[in-house]
Amino acid sequence: GWFERNLRIVNKNGKLSPLVLNPIQQILERWKCEQFEKGEPAFAIVLKARQEGVSTWAEATMFRDGCEMETRTSIVVAHNEASTRRIFEMARRFLKYFPKKLETEKSSARALHLSDTQSEFIVQTAGAEDSAGRGYTAQALHVSELDYCPDPYALLAASMQPIPDVY
C-alpha cells in the first residue's frame, strides 16, 4: 500500500524500515477511508494499549493527506516536550525518505510546510503554548496521550475549535 511504498519508520528493533500497517492500524485506516467515502468527518477518541502504532498511523495519515491534498493543515499536540520532538522527528523522517523530492518551506521549528500542496504539518506541546491547537483552521488533529496533558479537558475544548465539521 501507499504507506509501505512511501514512508519509513524506525521499527521496534531500531532499524529503518517501510511502514507496514499492523492490524490495529489497518482497522483505523479502513474506518478513516469509510468516513471519507461517506463525506463525513472522522472524529475518534482511541483508548488503547501502549505500542499499538496509533500515533504512527495518525502521523502517517496526516503526512499522506498533506502530500496529496491542497492546503491541508494537520496539527499534533503532544503531552510533553520529549514526545513533541519524537513526533516531529517522525515527520522529518517521512519527508527525508519520501521517494519523490518534496519541496518544503521552513514555517517554524516544529512545522513542515509542503510547497507543492501548500499543506502544513504542525507539532505543538500541550501546556508549552497558551494556544496549543489554536490560531489555525485545521483539517486534522491528533492529541497524543491526552490523559497525560495538563488540563486535558481545556486542551480538548481548545483544540477542537479549529477543526471544521467537514472533511
Side-chain angles (χ1 to χ4, degrees), residues 68-87:
E68 296 184 345
M69 297 175 171
E70 297 286 322
T71 62
R72 186 120 175 121
T73 299
S74 298
I75 300 172
V76 180
V77 180
H79 69 291
N80 64 27
E81 187 62 30
S83 276
T84 300
R85 282 192 305 273
R86 273 193 308 278
I87 290 169

Side-chain angles (χ1 to χ4, degrees), residues 23-33 44 46 53-54 57-58:
I24 298 295
Q25 293 166 327
Q26 290 173 19
I27 290 167
L28 289 166
E29 183 62 15
R30 269 193 308 275
W31 168 77
K32 182 179 181 265
C33 289
V46 180
V54 173
W57 169 81

Side-chain angles (χ1 to χ4, degrees), residues 42-143:
F43 293 112
I45 295 176
V46 180
L47 305 174
K48 64 175 188 73
R50 301 283 309 136
Q51 300 295 312
E52 294 289 345
V54 173
S55 290
T56 299
W57 169 81
E59 281 36 277
T61 298
M62 290 190 293
F63 188 85
R64 177 196 58 204
D65 291 351
C67 290
E68 296 184 345
M69 297 175 171
E70 297 286 322
T71 62
R72 186 120 175 121
T73 299
S74 298
I75 300 172
V76 180
V77 180
H79 69 291
N80 64 27
E81 187 62 30
S83 276
T84 300
R85 282 192 305 273
R86 273 193 308 278
I87 290 169
F88 193 65
E89 187 55 40
M90 185 186 316
R92 288 185 3 181
R93 187 176 304 110
F94 291 162
L95 180 66
K96 180 179 180 179
Y97 294 101
F98 197 74
K100 174 187 163 206
K101 172 86 169 115
L102 297 174
E103 295 298 323
T104 60
E105 300 168 18
K106 185 171 176 130
S107 303
S108 72
R110 298 249 169 70
L112 292 177
H113 181 86
L114 302 175
S115 301
D116 290 350
T117 60
Q118 296 298 302
S119 292
E120 285 188 292
F121 184 91
I122 301 160
V123 184
Q124 299 177 326
T125 305
E129 299 98 358
D130 291 340
S131 58
R134 292 182 192 241
Y136 300 93
T137 297
Q139 291 71 45
L141 169 70
H142 174 221
V143 180

